[in-house]
Amino acid sequence: MALDAYEEASDEALLVLYGNGDPMAAQLLTHRLAPRALGFATRLLGGDRAEAEDVTQEAMLRLWKQATGWRTGEAQVSTWLYRVVSNLCTDRLRKRRTVNIDAAGDPEDGRPSAVESMMDEDRAQALQGALNRLPDRQRIAVTLRHIEGATNPEIAEIMDISVEAVESLTARGKRALAKDLAGRREELGYGED
Amino acid sequence: MAKTDKQPLLDSELELFFNAARKADVEPSADVFNAIIADAEAQLSAVETLPVVGQGSQEGGWLQSIFSAIGGWPAAASLASATVAGVWIGFTQPVQLETLSGGLVLSGDYTAADTSYALEDLAPGYLGTTLFAEDEG
């Protein structure tokens, strides 16, 4: 198949191609899905990049194993993957809490100074700190809705809850973030109006 | 007037944080990317090398041998279809059979035929039907 045709193919079509023995389809799917899975896992795991990479690799492995038995038209591949990532992260967070209940906090500050000086980077880090202080389910719902750009019905499918429950979780999560980040208003340079 | 720290962020202010998070670099490292691709290839190889049950071995037993002898799944599917069709033909009313045969098998309305045959006419004494006739008077 020509490369253009691969690039235009849906995630599901690529997964079916992979299931039929096409390794090129796996490469394209990895390019498309692994960054999204990694970003999502990183946010859920409080900025722990190494653990998020483990989760991403595990989630992608589960996707490969699922390929031959994939039932077309039932769920979007990305929705399925977000669900797996969400479950893997929740498991890890649960285990982490049994080891150290106070582990969650602001992410590490040991980044290169050139990056530290960027406003966006500061805001992203401040947001990550505030996300870490949210209950797990609110963090998952807010991250999916406002960072990953998922719709409420998609989030409902990923989290296996009703759309109303999603709306409630995202509303409460946003309110908590707005309160938590209020103290960073001056520091992050948008309190001069 | 400047907003105080106690006032929660407005939606538009919070959106700045979400925007910043969306822009953050989340590309997997080359090592992770390569590991994921290696997993994909290993999984493909594992599927391709799975042994086929009953092929070249005695593991399938006599049932597997019979199944293979009649032609495997395609033959089994045909056999099942023929069985279902046979049962249907057996249970369906003759009127439908006539419709299907285009009048070759039966002609006219079989159910309203002047001449009808009871089972004892065709097989006198069969299954003791004469006894039933006697009981009915």
Side-chain angles (χ1 to χ4, degrees), chain A residues 27-179:
Chain A
Q27 291 205 14
L28 265 166
L29 269 179
T30 306
H31 276 294
R32 276 188 199 175
L33 299 176
R36 294 168 71 181
L38 180 61
F40 183 44
T42 305
R43 285 172 196 115
L44 296 195
L45 292 168
D48 187 333
R49 179 70 179 245
E51 197 168 10
E53 286 183 342
D54 284 350
V55 164
T56 303
Q57 194 180 343
E58 172 66 24
M60 292 300 290
L61 178 60
R62 291 188 186 193
L63 182 65
W64 306 141
K65 286 181 176 172
Q66 196 73 20
T68 47
W70 185 264
R71 284 180 286 192
T72 52
E74 280 199 5
Q76 281 192 25
V77 177
S78 57
T79 303
W80 184 91
L81 191 66
Y82 276 133
R83 187 173 190 164
V84 172
V85 169
S86 170
N87 290 341
L88 288 171
C89 289
T90 304
D91 283 351
R92 284 176 184 243
L93 288 170
R94 215 171 276 148
K95 281 177 195 161
R96 199 191 275 178
R97 276 186 204 113
T98 60
V99 176
N100 180 6
I101 203 160
D102 298 322
D106 282 342
E108 72 214 55
D109 291 325
R111 299 288 178 87
S113 59
V115 178
E116 276 179 355
S117 65
M118 294 170 67
M119 187 65 78
D120 274 345
E121 182 69 16
D122 288 345
R123 284 174 181 163
Q125 286 207 22
L127 177 64
Q128 185 63 63
L131 282 170
N132 292 353
R133 288 183 281 276
L134 287 182
D136 289 350
R137 289 162 66 78
Q138 284 183 27
R139 179 164 62 246
I140 293 168
V142 168
T143 302
L144 283 168
R145 183 75 186 92
H146 296 286
I147 303 176
E148 303 299 328
T151 62
N152 284 349
E154 283 169 345
I155 299 168
E157 197 179 336
I158 291 165
M159 297 183 71
D160 200 17
I161 55 177
S162 67
V163 172
E164 291 75 21
V166 171
E167 287 166 355
S168 167
L169 282 173
T170 49
R172 280 186 284 145
K174 262 183 82 175
R175 271 201 303 275
L177 288 179
K179 263 190 195 171

